[in-house]
Every structure is written in C-alpha cells, then in structure tokens.
Amino acid sequence: MCSVVGYIGKNYCRSIIMEGLTRLEYRGYDSAGFVCLHPQDQRLIYTKAQGGVKNLINNLENTTIDGFAGIGHTRWSTHGIASTENAHPHFDCNKNISIVHNGIIENYLEIKTKLEKSGHVFYSQTDTEVVAHLLEELLISTKDLNKAIVELVKHIKGAYALAFLIQDYPDAILLIRKSSPLCIGYGDNEVFIASDALGFAGKTNQVLFVPDKSFALVKQNKIELYDFEGKSLPLEFQIVDINWSADGKQGYEHYMLKEIYEQKKVIQGLVHKFKEIENSLWNQLGFANGIDDIRNLDHIYLIGCGSSWHAANIAKIFFENIANIETSIHLSSELRHSNFFAKKSSIAIALSQSGETADTLESLRFLNEKNIHTIALTNVKSSTITRESKGYFLTHAGPEIAVASTKVFSAQLASLYWISHKIAFEKSIINKEILDISKDNLLITAELLEGIIEDYKQDIIEKLAPYYSKFKYHLFLGKFISYPIAMEAALKLKEISYIFTEACPAGELKHGLLALIDQDTPVFMFSSMDNNIYKKLVINAQEIKARSGHLVTFAFEGQKELIELSDYSFVIPQVKTLLEPLALTGIMQFFAYQIAKNLNRPIDKPRNLAKSVTVE
Ligand code: M6R
C-alpha cells in the first residue's frame, strides 16, 4: 500500500522522486518522506511530512535538499498513527542508514525488544524502524554489506519491499524484496526504482522486476542482484511500455467523476479488442491445447476482493447461465484458510484492477501450487498478478486513479460477459451469430449506462443527493444478479461518503434486517428484468412499506407495482437480465459520488484507504 521510489544517476533526484511519488500516491497518502545523499559530503539529508506528497513538496520548497541518489516514500499506516514521526524514512541510531518500506515486518516487536535491551533507541511506532537498527548491528558484526543482508533476511518475517540509502555505501541504493512488489528501470547513466513501473514510466521502458526473495545493489551504471543466500542472480530486463498520460482530471472536479464518464468509451474500446483477440484468446489465457481445454472445463473459481469480488459474483451468473459451467466465488482474503478441494478440469480467474492486491496474489500462488490453471483478469499488464498467472486478460480501462473503482468494475463485467459467450460458443451452446450479438449488446448497454446518468443527473444533483446525504444509515437490497450490484452500491457509498451501509439479499430481510426498517433508514432496492425475481422483489418492497420504510428503487420500465410502492424510483430502460448490473453501474456510482460531494468528502482519496492494497 505504501509506495517506494528511488533514483541514482547523473541528474539531481528530488524532482524525479517527487514526480514518481505523486504518480504512486494512490498507494497511500497518510504521510510522505524523502532522503538523499548530500552531493558534496555524502551526508543523509531528509524531510518528512504528514499527509500527501504536496505537503512534502511544500516542505522541500525552501530547502536545498537534493542529490544524485535518493529514496522517497508515501505511507499507508499499518503500525503507528499517521504522523511525521512515523513517516518514512527511518534511521538507525547513528543516522548512517536510512530506510523506506512497503509491507509489514511481522516479528518487529520481538526484534525491537531485543534491540532496545542492547541500547538501541527508537523514534517511531513503526515496524520499519527495527530493520534499520538491525542492519546497524549486523554491519558491525559482519563488517560486510552483503553478509549483513544475508543475515538480516534470516531475522525478519513478513512481506517487504525495502530501499536503503547508507552513508557508508554512497555509491548504491540497496533494495530487498520479499512478496511486496519492487521494480528497477534502467536508463542511460541512471537507474530508477519504484513499487510500480508507473513511477518511472516515460523515463525508461527497460524494467527489471526484482525477483521475490532477492536483494539488489543499484548503482548508477550497474545493478548487482543476489538471492537471499547471497548468490548472484542474472538480470532479466523486460521492455515494458506503460501508457502514462498525465492528462489529469480533464476539467472534471474529481478523478472518480471523470472515470464514471469514461465507462462508455472503455466498453466500446473493449468490444473492439474482443474482435482483435477473438482467434488468439485461448492462447493468451495460457491454454496449451486451446479449444480442447475449454471444452473439457467443468469448474471455474473466481477470486477477488472488494469491487473485484462483486464483479466475480456477477460473473458467476454469466459462466453458469451462458456457458453452463459450475462456478464458485472466493474472497481472496479467505480462500487459502479453508480446506480447498481442487476440482479436476478447473481454472481460476483472479480479478484485480491493480494486479497487486496482496490477498489475491497470495491466493493465486496458493492455486498455482495446487496446479490449477490460473488466469489474471487485471488492468495492469506489468503487475505481479498478471506475471504470476498462467494466462492473462487485460481490462484495458486505462489508469484508474480514484480509490473507488468505477470503470474497471464495468470493464471486468464486460470482459467476463464476452469470455463466457466465447466459452459457450466453443462448447456449441451458442452459434456465431449469438456470439456476435453479445458484443452488440455490450455496446447498447454502454450507451445506456451513460444515458441513464444523463436522465437523472439534474434530479440527483439538485434534489436526491442533498436529501440522502443527511441519513446516517443506508440499506441496499437486490436478488440474484441484482444482489451483487446492491453490494457494490453499498461499498461505493460507504467508502467515499463514510455513511454506514449494508447490503442484503432481499429474501433475507425477514430473517433479521427488517428490524432496522424505519423512516430514518432509506432502503435502495435494485430490481430485475427477470419476472420471477421481480415478483419476489415486489413482495419484499411491500414488506418494507408495511413497516413504514422509506424505499428508493432502481426499476425497469413497465414495473408498475414496484414503481408505485417507491418513495422515489429511477426508471431504467429495459435491458437483458444478465446485463442489468452493467446498465445500472453508472447511475449507482454517480449517485454515491454526488452524496459524497454534498458531504464534502475527499472523494478521490477517502480516509484510511488506498488504491492498491499490497499488504494482507
Ligand atoms: O486492485 P483490486 O481490484 O485487486 O482491488 C480490490 C479492492 O481493494 C478494491 O476493489 C476496493 O474495494 C475499491 N476501493 C472499491 O472501490
């Protein structure tokens, strides 16, 4: 969740590192820090600030802190509050070693207690600081940097991407990686370091993804790479072209709003891509026997967290109803703690916008160990999840900056809707015409997604958002395919508005939730085009009204009973049942956005959250 950025080379590093940190700020924005070696006397000089990178840049403005080797950090707090003391870099007792860290040192308390007994003094509450002090001890006892690192990694447990700048070794930045991502960009007489290659995109495209359980000494013209036993490793560079357009918010007040409005284009672009990859799809998904592997499939595991998990809930219905394949959904944070029974001809699809979510990555590794064919469905080609899966599918939504996922969620739905049709076609469940119509239906739904926002824009801005932002609790209901969209709406609203929300399958109301129904707790119900589901939802709506509940519905044209029961109803043009979630996505996101705006929330960077969740 934190970001690590570094530079060593022919240029002054401060502005390069600030640019990298600004790009990677989506990973955490509790505090930021920067340390470099003084260009003349090689002293460590640094500054830190509470809050985002802007505060750090302000701190630096009237200083001369700059040099040819430096490291920077943005923090998402795990150990210790968001304060300047806990901001990285941290140091050893003599301020010879500086360190920045992404990850968690699980046994830090044990190490800290021992070090305190031998006289080390700590200045922060973080887990990170112990590593600087431990390295200080080990450098004294081994008198050799490589030997000290080999010892260090034996002592520390957890996940870590560490970068060090050490006064006694001024010609190198030291990197150590276990689990948390870290990459190196090789330039002309300069080397860039970042948690994500986006941090130096546009400066070089020669990227070395630091291998798991390895350490590197990064010098201006040379990189030395070693495994945790100290054996030299080969350098395997890849050409990574990252499309970094720093085109900002383009006139929108927030990235989230911009990204809501990008969805139509993203789906249109995806449909175009589907046509391009139609013949190479199975290859790209890593199936050695192509169509035969697909025809024999009898189970799909879908894994993800947050919005990606909600998309998986919807995709389960696609795979089961379109491709007739039994599908199970698993929260990445839970999967590997249960007794997992691997089915024979199965595949697993890991859904992740960032491709870096630690829980999803660990579950993916768990499934890889079980020899299940894994496929990454991510938005970032260079991400760890994409690289560690046997095959991949990119959602091509462009960089998603706001913490709340919007356009990637709809891109995941569109991708999985088409993939399930492709499988159905290979299994001769549908013919070519229906496969082609599936793409047309996505295009129609993309138009609707945006059109519905436009239809209700004024009402939401002027009436609905100001009114509903006053309530302390909101409930969300759905049934079958509309339940996951209710879950996604509840998540969207809570994360950006801080209003307490809960989502529930409508049929579960009478098993507990009805106790909460009153005039102060609006209920938002997502209807369905499926007539059986609709009829049951009408009954649930009546149960709410019979208890004087306040009901807002997302209903489809012609659903008279439901509309009449509602205190307010968004009436949506009719769509195919399986495409309801995609059609309703835009209006639900826009509504949540406007409520948060009314409450003056920092919408793109909600408190306590981060875009890329790289710790478990
Ligand atoms: O990058 P991922 O899709 O793996 O992220 C998963 C969740 O952290 C993410 O969807 C989160 O719930 C979003 N903030 C939701 O808007």
Side-chain angles (χ1 to χ4, degrees):
M1 326 260 296
C2 304
S3 69
V4 170
V5 174
Y7 175 88
I8 183 162
K10 61 188 179 192
N11 291 309
Y12 277 98
C13 65
R14 173 162 126 187
S15 62
I16 298 169
I17 290 176
M18 291 310 122
E19 190 186 342
L21 289 179
T22 307
R23 289 185 193 181
L24 300 192
E25 203 176 13
Y26 65 86
R27 303 170 73 93
Y29 32 81
D30 287 344
S31 63
F34 168 66
V35 59
C36 65
L37 288 166
H38 191 285
Q40 273 86 47
D41 62 19
Q42 312 287 320
R43 259 181 316 118
L44 288 175
I45 41 178
Y46 70 97
T47 188
K48 315 184 195 192
Q50 201 177 326
V53 182
K54 258 197 191 145
N55 297 355
L56 180 68
I57 295 174
N58 285 345
N59 269 10
L60 283 164
E61 213 150 70
N62 297 318
T63 75
T64 54
I65 301 176
D66 208 349
F68 298 103
I71 52 180
H73 187 262
T74 63
R75 178 168 185 251
W76 183 83
S77 320
T78 57
H79 299 70
I81 56 164
S83 64
T84 314
E85 294 76 49
N86 289 330
H88 301 208
H90 294 288
F91 300 89
D92 64 328
C93 293
N94 298 319
K95 286 231 164 83
N96 171 45
I97 300 168
S98 64
I99 178 175
V100 297
H101 169 212
N102 171 30
I104 290 177
I105 307 298
E106 286 166 9
N107 58 338
Y108 83 103
L109 262 183
E110 194 186 303
I111 303 172
K112 189 171 179 177
T113 314
K114 276 192 200 152
L115 290 169
E116 272 172 338
K117 277 190 190 143
S118 53
H120 288 263
V121 179
F122 290 84
Y123 294 92
S124 75
Q125 301 155 313
T126 64
D127 52 337
T128 307
E129 194 184 356
V130 301
V131 184
H133 291 265
L134 185 58
L135 185 60
E136 176 185 10
E137 285 275 309
L138 293 168
L139 279 173
I140 295 168
S141 58
T142 61
K143 299 187 180 56
D144 177 282
L145 183 57
N146 285 33
K147 281 186 190 155
I149 300 163
V150 172
E151 280 309 304
L152 180 87
V153 296
K154 286 184 196 159
H155 287 80
I156 52 176
K157 293 194 183 128
Y160 43 86
L162 299 161
F164 301 79
L165 206 54
I166 307 175
Q167 260 176 200
D168 290 346
Y169 298 89
D171 63 334
I173 294 174
L174 162 65
L175 304 179
I176 312 181
R177 179 195 170 204
K178 187 179 155 224
S179 290
S180 304
L182 202 52
C183 43
I184 299 174
Y186 202 66
D188 170 23
N189 255 318
E190 55 185 353
V191 185
F192 306 87
I193 292 157
S195 296
D196 181 325
L198 182 64
F200 50 72
K203 298 190 164 56
T204 177
N205 62 1
Q206 281 210 66
V207 181
L208 169 77
F209 292 98
V210 179
D212 199 26
K213 297 188 185 151
S214 72
F215 67 92
L217 289 171
V218 179
K219 303 180 180 174
Q220 179 168 344
N221 286 309
K222 189 179 170 201
I223 297 164
E224 296 168 24
L225 187 67
Y226 304 94
D227 67 13
F228 272 7
E229 281 160 13
K231 285 189 210 116
S232 185
L233 292 173
L235 303 179
E236 288 172 12
F237 282 95
Q238 297 179 26
I239 302 295
V240 176
D241 285 310
I242 296 180
N243 217 346
W244 168 251
S245 59
D247 42 8
K249 296 183 204 150
Q250 292 172 11
Y252 288 97
E253 194 173 345
H254 294 97
Y255 279 106
M256 182 175 173
L257 189 60
K258 169 178 168 267
E259 288 159 7
I260 289 174
Y261 275 106
E262 279 172 350
Q263 295 181 99
K264 180 170 131 185
K265 253 187 146 177
V266 166
I267 298 168
Q268 289 168 342
L270 264 174
V271 170
H272 190 72
K273 273 267 174 272
F274 298 160
K275 291 179 185 158
E276 268 176 38
I277 60 171
E278 190 121 33
N279 296 325
S280 59
L281 179 67
W282 307 128
N283 207 8
Q284 191 185 310
L285 298 187
F287 293 109
N289 306 316
I291 296 170
D292 287 340
D293 286 339
I294 300 303
R295 289 191 181 132
N296 293 331
L297 261 188
D298 61 12
H299 194 89
I300 300 178
Y301 301 99
L302 298 173
I303 62 168
C305 299
S307 294
S308 288
W309 182 71
H310 295 155
N313 277 260
I314 296 167
K316 170 184 159 74
I317 300 175
F318 295 162
F319 285 119
E320 293 191 336
N321 287 41
I322 300 167
N324 202 20
I325 300 179
E326 184 192 34
T327 304
S328 52
I329 334 149
H330 303 267
L331 272 169
S332 312
S333 52
E334 294 288 328
L335 173 81
R336 61 196 190 285
H337 307 300
S338 60
N339 208 355
F340 184 79
F341 300 97
K343 304 218 178 187
K344 256 195 189 160
S345 306
S346 58
I347 60 167
I349 307 180
L351 282 75
S352 177
Q353 177 280 131
S354 60
E356 298 295 349
T357 301
D359 281 315
T360 305
L361 178 60
E362 286 309 320
S363 288
L364 179 88
R365 289 174 175 163
F366 171 85
L367 293 167
N368 277 339
E369 271 169 28
K370 301 237 173 253
N371 279 325
I372 291 181
H373 184 100
T374 51
I375 296 168
L377 187 97
T378 70
N379 199 41
V380 184
K381 193 175 175 187
S382 58
S383 66
T384 317
I385 291 176
T386 315
R387 283 182 285 119
E388 293 199 16
S389 299
K390 300 204 174 100
Y392 69 91
F393 191 96
L394 295 177
T395 42
H396 291 288
E400 192 181 67
I401 308 292
V403 164
S405 187
T406 52
K407 60 177 178 170
V408 173
F409 175 75
S410 46
Q412 288 169 334
L413 296 187
S415 303
L416 292 164
Y417 181 77
W418 179 68
I419 293 173
S420 55
H421 278 86
K422 258 301 259 180
I423 298 177
F425 172 71
E426 302 299 2
K427 289 176 70 186
S428 305
I429 296 172
I430 60 166
N431 59 24
K432 182 78 171 67
E433 197 191 342
I434 307 227
L435 176 61
D436 289 341
I437 291 176
S438 72
K439 286 179 284 218
D440 297 340
N441 284 338
L442 283 171
L443 293 176
I444 295 167
T445 315
E447 292 286 345
L448 263 181
L449 181 153
E450 194 169 304
I452 300 166
I453 304 178
E454 291 312 296
D455 290 348
Y456 285 96
K457 193 171 169 178
Q458 279 323 102
D459 246 19
I460 290 178
I461 295 175
E462 287 164 14
K463 268 184 12 209
L464 302 172
Y467 181 71
Y468 288 103
S469 61
K470 296 198 181 98
F471 291 89
K472 277 171 84 181
Y473 310 102
H474 287 194
L475 301 177
F476 290 83
L477 299 178
K479 193 171 181 67
F480 185 55
I481 200 161
S482 78
Y483 173 51
I485 197 75
M487 289 199 280
E488 176 61 6
L491 172 63
K492 219 80 306 173
L493 184 59
K494 77 167 68 120
E495 72 177 325
I496 60 170
S497 72
Y498 315 155
I499 291 175
F500 185 93
T501 66
E502 183 168 336
C504 178
E508 287 295 296
L509 257 185
K510 50 196 168 298
H511 302 293
L513 204 74
L514 267 183
L516 299 183
I517 301 298
D518 60 22
Q519 272 296 310
D520 298 327
T521 313
V523 181
F524 296 84
M525 181 184 274
F526 289 86
S527 183
S528 175
M529 284 294 300
D530 179 306
N531 208 31
N532 285 332
I533 305 285
Y534 168 66
K535 281 192 209 144
K536 305 262 186 257
L537 285 169
V538 171
I539 298 171
N540 297 134
Q542 275 155 345
E543 288 162 358
I544 293 163
K545 291 315 291 177
R547 283 149 186 94
S548 305
H550 182 105
L551 182 67
V552 179
T553 56
F554 293 81
F556 293 94
E557 278 172 358
Q559 297 187 325
K560 210 164 152 261
E561 301 100 312
L562 192 60
I563 297 166
E564 279 173 3
L565 281 167
S566 311
D567 293 271
Y568 186 89
S569 196
F570 295 95
V571 184
I572 315 292
Q574 299 201 350
V575 285
K576 290 197 142 305
T577 307
L578 296 183
L579 285 170
E580 286 163 20
L582 189 58
L584 292 170
T585 291
I587 183 92
M588 159 286 268
Q589 296 163 341
F590 186 80
F591 189 33
Y593 169 84
Q594 292 297 343
I595 290 180
K597 198 173 155 211
N598 259 273
L599 293 168
N600 254 324
R601 302 297 190 220
I603 294 178
D604 286 334
K605 290 180 187 163
R607 70 179 179 202
N608 306 336
L609 298 178
K611 184 76 182 156
S612 181
V613 187
T614 57
V615 293
E616 283 182 60

